[in-house]
Amino acid sequence: MRRRSAFAALLLLTGCATGPSLESQGEVTAPPGDSRNLTIGSAGFTESDLLAQMYALLLNQAGYKTSMLTVANRELYEPALESGQIDVVPEYAATFADWLGAKANGADAPPVGSPDLAATMKALRELATPRGLTVLDPGRAVDQNTFAVSASYARQHGLKTLSDLGASGLPVRLAAGDECVQRPYCRPGLEKTYGIDITGVDPKGVGTTPAKQAVQSGRDQMVLTTTTDATLPEFGLVILTDDKHLQNADYVVPVVNRSRAGGEGVTRALGALNDVLTTADLASMNQQVDSWRRLATDVARTYLEDKGLLK
């Protein structure tokens, strides 16, 4: 397993990595690279860790040497992906398209992600390509952000939908990632689309155990999690229906640095996962890690072996 130097890690964590400059645009259109040593990035939550582990195992089998690097948010790992400090990362089509759109065109840029997968992928690739990134094909697995409250809180206030929560006028402290403050699907969207009174964001991460415990205990009133989170009943939490469709369906897509990992070998190795991985599979694996306390690497390996993808 290869390790990045401390200097490279420092550049990454301080956000100093940058993408191709105007003077080096030739790198963007150069032939795809095929480095045999690749760094796989994870965003640090269970599902991202599982996907990154599966990517690493499949690439190892295909003859690549891989290392893992966990970076907590997109604001840091996307520039690192552009610069080649990270070579491969699991992403979500609509969310990543909107994020790149805002990065290219400003925070007020209209969203380009939608429930239409073909339109979303077209927009995503148009935004990613000039940055030296290649978006591989999506598979069948789709994840979607969702918001949950305690079942007792929902019963007490008669809540079934996010519209119900907005109409209630209740003050809501939200457990989520720190990026929720700015992302349109999160705090701004909840306030604008639903009129929910968000009094603050408790930066405990997306669907993490501490985030769900904060809502379970009443410290926070709502948590940002995902539709593949199989542990909500264990914390006494229920999802509030996104009845005005704030969230887009997010298909899992691998994104690679074209100059280092844009070759056919990486595409073929990761494409094998698309043929088998489903949303239900992701939920099951998340549960094994979050509820059964299995290691993500063991769950990933067992899944690939069961599906005949790892020998």
Side-chain angles (χ1 to χ4, degrees):
M1 298 287 278
R2 183 173 58 96
R3 294 186 180 274
R4 295 287 183 183
S5 69
F7 177 69
L10 178 62
L11 285 178
L12 175 64
L13 294 176
T14 55
C16 294
T18 58
S21 66
L22 291 176
E23 293 78 13
S24 61
Q25 286 294 305
E27 297 177 10
V28 174
T29 56
D34 191 30
S35 172
R36 310 310 290 180
N37 296 290
L38 300 174
T39 297
I40 315 300
S42 165
F45 57 94
T46 297
E47 188 169 292
S48 185
D49 288 344
L50 283 163
L51 289 164
Q53 291 287 350
M54 286 189 285
Y55 289 1
L57 289 166
L58 290 170
L59 289 168
N60 289 342
Q61 180 172 256
Y64 296 88
K65 293 182 180 180
T66 64
S67 62
M68 303 286 294
L69 186 60
T70 298
V71 184
N73 62 58
R74 197 174 277 111
E75 284 77 6
L76 291 179
Y77 72 67
E78 189 278 333
L81 184 62
E82 288 187 29
S83 72
Q85 290 177 292
I86 293 176
D87 303 307
V88 183
V89 70
E91 262 294 356
Y92 300 90
T95 297
F96 196 42
D98 286 344
W99 194 88
L100 287 180
K103 183 174 181 178
N105 303 309
D108 295 329
V112 295
S114 76
D116 185 329
L117 177 60
T120 296
M121 288 297 297
K122 181 176 184 294
L124 174 55
R125 284 171 167 152
E126 288 174 352
L127 289 162
T129 298
R131 296 186 175 277
L133 307 180
T134 296
V135 183
L136 305 186
D137 289 339
R140 293 184 289 164
V142 58
D143 199 349
Q144 189 176 29
N145 291 301
T146 194
F147 296 92
V149 299
S150 71
S152 59
Y153 182 83
R155 285 194 303 270
Q156 180 183 356
H157 299 289
L159 307 177
K160 293 184 178 180
T161 68
L162 289 172
S163 286
D164 292 339
L165 183 56
S168 74
L170 292 165
V172 174
R173 180 175 163 92
L174 176 63
D178 53 9
E179 66 275 14
C180 176
V181 174
Q182 295 181 326
R183 290 193 181 164
Y185 71 82
C186 204
R187 180 175 184 167
L190 291 171
E191 293 175 336
K192 181 178 179 180
T193 302
Y194 288 106
I196 296 173
D197 179 15
I198 304 295
T199 60
V201 173
D202 189 2
K204 293 187 179 299
V206 179
T208 62
T209 294
K212 285 177 281 195
Q213 288 174 334
V215 177
Q216 182 184 37
S217 69
R219 170 184 169 85
D220 299 333
Q221 288 70 52
M222 188 162 68
V223 60
L224 170 62
T225 185
T226 65
T227 53
T228 57
D229 187 341
T231 70
L232 295 179
E234 298 174 21
F235 294 90
L237 305 182
V238 294
I239 290 173
L240 295 182
T241 301
D242 178 19
D243 52 309
K244 293 185 179 178
H245 308 291
L246 175 62
Q247 309 297 329
N248 290 318
D250 268 319
Y251 285 78
V252 175
V253 289
V255 182
V256 305
N257 177 288
R258 177 183 172 86
S259 66
R260 289 183 50 80
E264 180 59 30
V266 171
T267 300
R268 184 168 52 249
L270 299 185
L273 188 60
N274 285 350
D275 296 335
V276 299
L277 184 65
T278 67
T279 304
D281 292 340
L282 276 179
S284 174
M285 286 189 281
N286 287 338
Q287 184 179 36
Q288 291 177 58
V289 174
D290 291 335
S291 297
W292 304 353
R293 300 293 185 262
R294 294 189 63 195
L295 295 176
T297 185
D298 294 337
V299 173
R301 180 179 294 279
T302 299
Y303 177 80
L304 293 178
E305 289 174 345
D306 289 347
K307 296 296 182 179
L309 296 181
L310 201 62
K311 299 174 177 61

